[in-house]
Amino acid sequence: AFGKKIKKVTCLVGNRGGFVANRVMNASGWAVLLQTGVLPHQIDTAAEGYGMRMGPCRMMDLVGLDLLGRERAASGEAEPDRNAMDALLAAGRYGQKTGKGFYKYDEGRQHSRDEEAEALIHQLWARNGVTPRSLSDEDIADVLYLPVVNEGFRCLEEGMAMRPSDVDVCCVFGYNWPRYRGGPMQWATSMGLPKVLAKLEAMGVEPAALLKECVRNKWKLSSKELLARVSERWASRWSATSAL
């Protein structure tokens, strides 16, 4: 009722850091791609081709590389010789606010590729033995978003969401996940859970236990057995009885 009153779509989720939307989206593999030979414009082109309004590198430029980078630098965790974002920050490239980040920006904040930024990234790769790669948009999208699917399964198995579609609602309305994709869990359904599992394993990502159980039992996300399992986990975690 409150959500309707303020004209927002609301979704009840478990209480923990990142809730659901931030938690699953933070699992995106964009930083892995950047560290392993894929340039920002390649990552963003694939993300936007998938249907995202803005790719992750453009989004970081909008938010400001210093937002996370200052904390890393202050705590001594920054590694400008190893981490691309730390290297850009150390070079005074904070994003749109300084007119340069992963990209360069004109007075109207229109972005374009920046030879200086890409040179810094290539130098970092060379120091760390990384060879530039050219991946298909589909392969990049898989690395970007299949870990998001995997984290969605973890949310379900931990009782952080009541049903798979709630993960989708959080991502569609919280992160502008392309509606025609249906959200990460619906995308996983359209791909087929066995294929999702195989691709995650090929990437070296540890699959969520619930995903492996679904594949082993040939459950779909709409299977009554899965929905009962997820509902039970939610109830056991958040019911008044369990809280006492």
Side-chain angles (χ1 to χ4, degrees):
F2 178 69
K4 290 182 179 179
K5 186 174 181 180
I6 62 174
K7 298 181 180 180
K8 297 290 184 180
V9 175
T10 57
C11 187
L12 182 64
V13 299
N15 183 15
R16 63 153 287 171
F19 297 101
V20 166
N22 288 344
R23 175 181 171 182
V24 300
M25 291 303 294
N26 282 343
S28 167
W30 75 272
V32 173
L33 289 163
L34 186 62
Q35 291 296 118
T36 57
V38 185
L39 285 168
H41 76 277
Q42 295 172 302
I43 297 170
D44 287 347
T45 296
E48 290 161 21
Y50 177 87
M52 294 295 186
R53 297 279 184 88
M54 185 179 290
C57 297
R58 286 182 60 202
M59 178 62 72
M60 286 305 305
D61 273 357
L62 175 64
V63 172
L65 302 185
D66 56 323
L67 187 66
L68 297 176
R70 283 181 302 186
E71 183 178 339
R72 286 174 54 81
S75 64
E77 296 177 11
E79 297 180 294
D81 290 332
R82 298 181 60 85
N83 183 285
M85 197 162 74
D86 290 340
L88 293 173
L89 185 65
R93 307 182 67 93
Y94 293 0
Q96 288 190 17
K97 65 183 70 176
T98 57
K100 56 183 183 179
F102 285 109
Y103 300 95
K104 59 183 177 183
Y105 295 85
D106 62 21
E107 292 181 359
R109 295 204 170 189
Q110 294 299 308
H111 76 288
S112 59
R113 290 176 62 179
D114 190 332
E115 293 181 358
E116 181 181 327
E118 292 183 12
L120 284 171
I121 293 169
H122 276 288
Q123 290 166 14
L124 181 141
W125 289 343
R127 285 196 299 270
N128 291 283
V130 175
T131 302
R133 297 190 291 161
S134 180
L135 301 178
S136 70
D137 285 354
E138 180 180 353
D139 287 342
I140 292 174
D142 284 347
V143 177
L144 284 172
Y145 302 125
L146 286 178
V148 174
V149 171
N150 197 45
E151 198 65 24
F153 273 97
R154 288 204 172 97
C155 287
L156 293 170
E157 70 188 25
E158 294 173 14
M160 290 295 138
M162 280 192 281
R163 56 187 74 85
S165 59
D166 284 359
V167 178
D168 289 335
V169 167
C170 290
C171 290
V172 168
F173 289 95
Y175 272 87
N176 276 318
W177 192 284
R179 293 192 182 195
Y180 72 90
R181 298 280 187 185
M185 309 309 285
Q186 179 58 38
W187 178 52
T189 294
S190 67
M191 182 180 292
L193 298 187
K195 190 173 182 180
V196 170
L197 176 62
K199 285 191 172 190
L200 285 168
E201 290 176 334
M203 290 178 202
V205 175
E206 176 61 32
L210 184 59
L211 171 58
K212 292 191 283 189
E213 185 177 5
C214 285
V215 173
R216 184 171 60 251
N217 293 327
K218 298 181 179 180
W219 291 346
K220 297 180 179 179
L221 290 182
S222 58
S223 296
K224 62 181 181 180
E225 295 89 351
L226 172 64
L227 295 177
R229 172 69 59 82
V230 171
S231 178
E232 178 185 355
R233 186 70 187 98
W234 171 271
S236 68
R237 180 143 194 179
W238 302 109
S239 68
T241 301
S242 64
L244 294 176

Coordinates of all heavy atoms in Angstrom, one line a residue, residues 157-203:
E157 N 18.7 -19.3 -2.0 CA 19.1 -20.4 -1.1 C 19.3 -19.9 0.3 O 19.2 -20.7 1.3 CB 20.3 -21.2 -1.6 CG 21.6 -20.4 -1.6 CD 22.7 -21.2 -2.3 OE1 22.4 -22.0 -3.2 OE2 23.9 -21.0 -1.9
E158 N 19.6 -18.6 0.5 CA 19.9 -18.0 1.8 C 18.6 -17.4 2.4 O 18.6 -16.9 3.5 CB 20.9 -16.9 1.7 CG 22.3 -17.5 1.4 CD 23.3 -16.4 1.1 OE1 23.0 -15.2 1.5 OE2 24.4 -16.6 0.6
G159 N 17.5 -17.5 1.7 CA 16.2 -16.9 2.2 C 16.2 -15.4 2.1 O 15.5 -14.7 2.9
M160 N 16.9 -14.8 1.1 CA 16.9 -13.3 1.0 C 15.8 -12.8 0.0 O 15.6 -11.7 0.0 CB 18.3 -12.9 0.5 CG 19.4 -13.0 1.5 SD 19.1 -11.9 2.9 CE 19.6 -13.0 4.2
A161 N 15.3 -13.8 -0.7 CA 14.2 -13.4 -1.6 C 13.1 -14.5 -1.5 O 13.5 -15.7 -1.3 CB 14.6 -13.3 -3.0
M162 N 11.9 -14.2 -1.7 CA 10.8 -15.2 -1.5 C 10.6 -16.0 -2.8 O 10.0 -17.1 -2.7 CB 9.5 -14.4 -1.2 CG 9.3 -14.0 0.2 SD 7.6 -13.5 0.6 CE 7.6 -11.9 0.0
R163 N 10.9 -15.5 -3.9 CA 10.7 -16.3 -5.2 C 11.7 -15.7 -6.2 O 12.1 -14.6 -6.1 CB 9.3 -16.1 -5.6 CG 8.8 -14.7 -5.8 CD 7.3 -14.6 -6.1 NE 6.5 -14.8 -4.9 CZ 6.3 -13.9 -4.0 NH1 6.7 -12.6 -4.1 NH2 5.5 -14.2 -2.9
P164 N 12.0 -16.5 -7.3 CA 12.9 -16.1 -8.3 C 12.5 -14.8 -9.0 O 13.3 -13.9 -9.3 CB 12.9 -17.3 -9.3 CG 12.6 -18.5 -8.5 CD 11.6 -18.0 -7.4
S165 N 11.2 -14.6 -9.2 CA 10.7 -13.4 -9.9 C 10.9 -12.2 -9.1 O 11.0 -11.1 -9.6 CB 9.2 -13.6 -10.2 OG 8.4 -13.7 -9.0
D166 N 11.1 -12.3 -7.7 CA 11.4 -11.1 -6.9 C 12.8 -10.6 -7.2 O 13.0 -9.4 -7.2 CB 11.3 -11.4 -5.4 CG 9.9 -11.5 -5.0 OD1 8.9 -11.3 -5.8 OD2 9.6 -11.8 -3.8
V167 N 13.7 -11.5 -7.5 CA 15.1 -11.0 -7.9 C 15.0 -10.2 -9.2 O 15.6 -9.2 -9.4 CB 16.0 -12.3 -8.1 CG1 17.4 -11.8 -8.6 CG2 16.1 -13.0 -6.8
D168 N 14.1 -10.7 -10.2 CA 14.0 -10.0 -11.4 C 13.3 -8.6 -11.2 O 13.8 -7.7 -11.8 CB 13.1 -10.9 -12.4 CG 13.8 -12.1 -12.9 OD1 15.0 -12.1 -12.9 OD2 13.1 -13.1 -13.2
V169 N 12.3 -8.6 -10.4 CA 11.7 -7.3 -10.1 C 12.7 -6.3 -9.6 O 12.7 -5.1 -10.0 CB 10.5 -7.5 -9.1 CG1 10.0 -6.1 -8.6 CG2 9.4 -8.2 -9.8
C170 N 13.5 -6.7 -8.6 CA 14.5 -5.8 -8.0 C 15.5 -5.3 -9.1 O 15.9 -4.1 -9.1 CB 15.3 -6.6 -7.0 SG 14.4 -6.9 -5.5
C171 N 15.9 -6.2 -10.0 CA 16.9 -5.7 -11.1 C 16.2 -4.9 -12.2 O 16.8 -3.9 -12.6 CB 17.5 -7.0 -11.7 SG 18.7 -7.8 -10.5
V172 N 15.0 -5.2 -12.5 CA 14.3 -4.5 -13.6 C 14.0 -3.1 -13.1 O 14.3 -2.1 -13.8 CB 13.1 -5.2 -14.1 CG1 12.2 -4.3 -14.9 CG2 13.4 -6.5 -14.8
F173 N 13.5 -3.0 -11.9 CA 13.1 -1.6 -11.4 C 14.2 -0.9 -10.6 O 14.2 0.3 -10.5 CB 11.8 -1.8 -10.5 CG 10.6 -2.1 -11.3 CD1 10.2 -3.4 -11.4 CD2 9.9 -1.1 -11.9 CE1 9.0 -3.7 -12.1 CE2 8.7 -1.4 -12.6 CZ 8.3 -2.7 -12.8
G174 N 15.2 -1.7 -10.2 CA 16.3 -1.0 -9.4 C 17.5 -0.7 -10.3 O 18.2 0.3 -10.0
Y175 N 17.7 -1.4 -11.4 CA 18.9 -1.3 -12.2 C 18.6 -1.1 -13.7 O 19.5 -1.2 -14.5 CB 19.9 -2.4 -12.0 CG 20.8 -2.2 -10.8 CD1 20.5 -2.5 -9.5 CD2 22.1 -1.6 -11.0 CE1 21.3 -2.3 -8.4 CE2 22.9 -1.3 -10.0 CZ 22.6 -1.7 -8.7 OH 23.4 -1.4 -7.6
N176 N 17.3 -1.0 -14.0 CA 17.0 -0.8 -15.4 C 17.4 -2.0 -16.3 O 17.8 -1.9 -17.4 CB 17.5 0.5 -16.0 CG 16.6 1.6 -15.8 OD1 15.4 1.5 -15.9 ND2 17.2 2.8 -15.4
W177 N 17.4 -3.2 -15.6 CA 17.6 -4.4 -16.4 C 16.6 -4.4 -17.6 O 15.4 -4.2 -17.3 CB 17.5 -5.7 -15.5 CG 18.0 -6.9 -16.2 CD1 17.4 -7.7 -17.1 CD2 19.2 -7.6 -15.8 NE1 18.1 -8.8 -17.5 CE2 19.3 -8.7 -16.7 CE3 20.2 -7.4 -14.9 CZ2 20.3 -9.7 -16.6 CZ3 21.3 -8.3 -14.9 CH2 21.3 -9.4 -15.7
P178 N 17.0 -4.7 -18.8 CA 16.1 -4.6 -19.9 C 14.9 -5.5 -19.7 O 15.0 -6.7 -19.5 CB 16.9 -5.1 -21.1 CG 18.1 -5.8 -20.5 CD 18.4 -5.1 -19.2
R179 N 13.7 -4.9 -19.8 CA 12.5 -5.6 -19.5 C 12.2 -6.7 -20.4 O 11.6 -7.7 -20.0 CB 11.3 -4.6 -19.5 CG 11.3 -3.6 -18.4 CD 10.0 -2.8 -18.2 NE 10.2 -1.8 -17.2 CZ 9.1 -1.2 -16.7 NH1 7.9 -1.5 -17.1 NH2 9.3 -0.3 -15.7
Y180 N 12.6 -6.6 -21.7 CA 12.3 -7.7 -22.6 C 13.1 -8.9 -22.3 O 12.8 -10.0 -22.7 CB 12.6 -7.2 -24.0 CG 14.0 -7.0 -24.5 CD1 14.7 -8.1 -25.0 CD2 14.6 -5.8 -24.3 CE1 16.1 -7.9 -25.4 CE2 15.9 -5.6 -24.7 CZ 16.6 -6.7 -25.2 OH 18.0 -6.5 -25.6
R181 N 14.2 -8.8 -21.5 CA 15.0 -9.9 -21.0 C 14.3 -10.6 -19.8 O 14.5 -11.7 -19.4 CB 16.4 -9.5 -20.6 CG 17.2 -8.9 -21.7 CD 17.8 -10.0 -22.6 NE 18.8 -9.4 -23.5 CZ 19.4 -10.1 -24.5 NH1 19.1 -11.4 -24.6 NH2 20.2 -9.5 -25.3
G182 N 13.4 -9.8 -19.1 CA 12.7 -10.3 -18.0 C 13.4 -10.3 -16.6 O 12.8 -10.6 -15.6
G183 N 14.6 -9.9 -16.6 CA 15.4 -10.0 -15.4 C 16.4 -11.1 -15.5 O 16.3 -12.0 -16.4
P184 N 17.4 -11.1 -14.6 CA 18.4 -12.2 -14.7 C 17.9 -13.6 -14.5 O 18.4 -14.5 -15.2 CB 19.4 -11.8 -13.5 CG 18.6 -10.9 -12.6 CD 17.6 -10.2 -13.5
M185 N 17.0 -13.8 -13.7 CA 16.5 -15.2 -13.5 C 15.7 -15.7 -14.7 O 15.8 -16.8 -15.1 CB 15.7 -15.3 -12.2 CG 16.4 -14.7 -11.0 SD 18.1 -15.3 -10.7 CE 17.8 -16.9 -10.1
Q186 N 14.9 -14.8 -15.2 CA 14.1 -15.1 -16.4 C 15.1 -15.4 -17.6 O 14.9 -16.2 -18.4 CB 13.1 -14.0 -16.8 CG 12.3 -14.3 -18.1 CD 11.5 -15.6 -18.0 OE1 11.0 -16.0 -17.0 NE2 11.4 -16.3 -19.1
W187 N 16.1 -14.5 -17.7 CA 17.1 -14.8 -18.7 C 17.8 -16.1 -18.6 O 18.0 -16.8 -19.6 CB 18.2 -13.6 -18.6 CG 19.3 -13.8 -19.6 CD1 19.2 -13.9 -21.0 CD2 20.7 -13.7 -19.3 NE1 20.5 -14.0 -21.5 CE2 21.4 -13.9 -20.5 CE3 21.4 -13.6 -18.1 CZ2 22.8 -13.9 -20.6 CZ3 22.8 -13.6 -18.2 CH2 23.5 -13.7 -19.4
A188 N 18.1 -16.5 -17.3 CA 18.6 -17.9 -17.1 C 17.7 -19.0 -17.5 O 18.1 -20.0 -18.1 CB 18.9 -18.0 -15.6
T189 N 16.4 -18.7 -17.3 CA 15.4 -19.7 -17.8 C 15.4 -19.8 -19.3 O 15.3 -20.9 -19.8 CB 14.0 -19.3 -17.3 OG1 13.9 -19.3 -15.8 CG2 12.9 -20.2 -17.8
S190 N 15.4 -18.7 -20.0 CA 15.4 -18.7 -21.4 C 16.7 -19.4 -22.0 O 16.6 -20.0 -23.0 CB 15.3 -17.3 -22.0 OG 16.4 -16.5 -21.7
M191 N 17.8 -19.3 -21.3 CA 19.0 -19.9 -21.7 C 19.0 -21.4 -21.4 O 19.6 -22.2 -22.1 CB 20.2 -19.2 -21.0 CG 21.6 -19.8 -21.4 SD 23.0 -19.0 -20.6 CE 22.9 -17.3 -21.3
G192 N 18.4 -21.8 -20.3 CA 18.4 -23.1 -19.8 C 19.4 -23.3 -18.7 O 20.6 -22.9 -18.8
L193 N 18.9 -23.8 -17.5 CA 19.8 -23.8 -16.3 C 21.0 -24.7 -16.5 O 22.1 -24.4 -16.0 CB 19.0 -24.3 -15.1 CG 17.8 -23.3 -14.7 CD1 17.2 -23.8 -13.4 CD2 18.3 -21.9 -14.6
P194 N 20.9 -25.9 -17.2 CA 22.1 -26.7 -17.5 C 23.2 -25.9 -18.2 O 24.4 -26.0 -17.9 CB 21.6 -27.9 -18.3 CG 20.2 -28.0 -17.9 CD 19.7 -26.6 -17.7
K195 N 22.8 -25.1 -19.2 CA 23.7 -24.3 -19.9 C 24.3 -23.2 -19.1 O 25.5 -22.9 -19.1 CB 23.0 -23.6 -21.2 CG 24.0 -23.0 -22.1 CD 23.2 -22.5 -23.4 CE 24.2 -21.9 -24.4 NZ 23.5 -21.5 -25.6
V196 N 23.5 -22.6 -18.2 CA 24.0 -21.6 -17.3 C 25.1 -22.2 -16.4 O 26.2 -21.6 -16.2 CB 22.9 -21.0 -16.4 CG1 23.4 -20.1 -15.3 CG2 21.9 -20.2 -17.3
L197 N 24.8 -23.3 -15.8 CA 25.7 -24.0 -15.0 C 27.0 -24.3 -15.7 O 28.1 -24.1 -15.2 CB 25.1 -25.3 -14.4 CG 26.0 -26.2 -13.6 CD1 26.4 -25.5 -12.3 CD2 25.3 -27.5 -13.2
A198 N 26.9 -24.8 -16.9 CA 28.1 -25.2 -17.7 C 29.0 -24.0 -18.0 O 30.2 -24.0 -17.9 CB 27.7 -25.9 -19.0
K199 N 28.3 -22.9 -18.3 CA 29.1 -21.6 -18.6 C 29.8 -21.1 -17.4 O 30.9 -20.6 -17.5 CB 28.1 -20.6 -19.2 CG 27.8 -20.9 -20.7 CD 27.0 -19.7 -21.3 CE 26.8 -19.9 -22.8 NZ 26.3 -18.7 -23.5
L200 N 29.1 -21.1 -16.2 CA 29.7 -20.6 -15.0 C 30.9 -21.4 -14.7 O 32.0 -20.9 -14.3 CB 28.7 -20.6 -13.9 CG 27.6 -19.5 -13.9 CD1 26.5 -19.9 -12.9 CD2 28.2 -18.2 -13.6
E201 N 30.8 -22.8 -14.8 CA 31.9 -23.6 -14.5 C 33.1 -23.4 -15.4 O 34.3 -23.4 -15.0 CB 31.5 -25.1 -14.5 CG 30.6 -25.5 -13.4 CD 30.0 -26.9 -13.5 OE1 29.9 -27.4 -14.6 OE2 29.7 -27.5 -12.4
A202 N 32.8 -23.1 -16.7 CA 33.8 -22.9 -17.7 C 34.5 -21.5 -17.4 O 35.7 -21.4 -17.7 CB 33.2 -22.8 -19.1
M203 N 33.8 -20.6 -16.8 CA 34.4 -19.3 -16.4 C 35.3 -19.4 -15.1 O 36.0 -18.5 -14.8 CB 33.3 -18.3 -16.1 CG 32.6 -17.8 -17.3 SD 31.3 -16.6 -16.7 CE 30.1 -16.7 -18.0

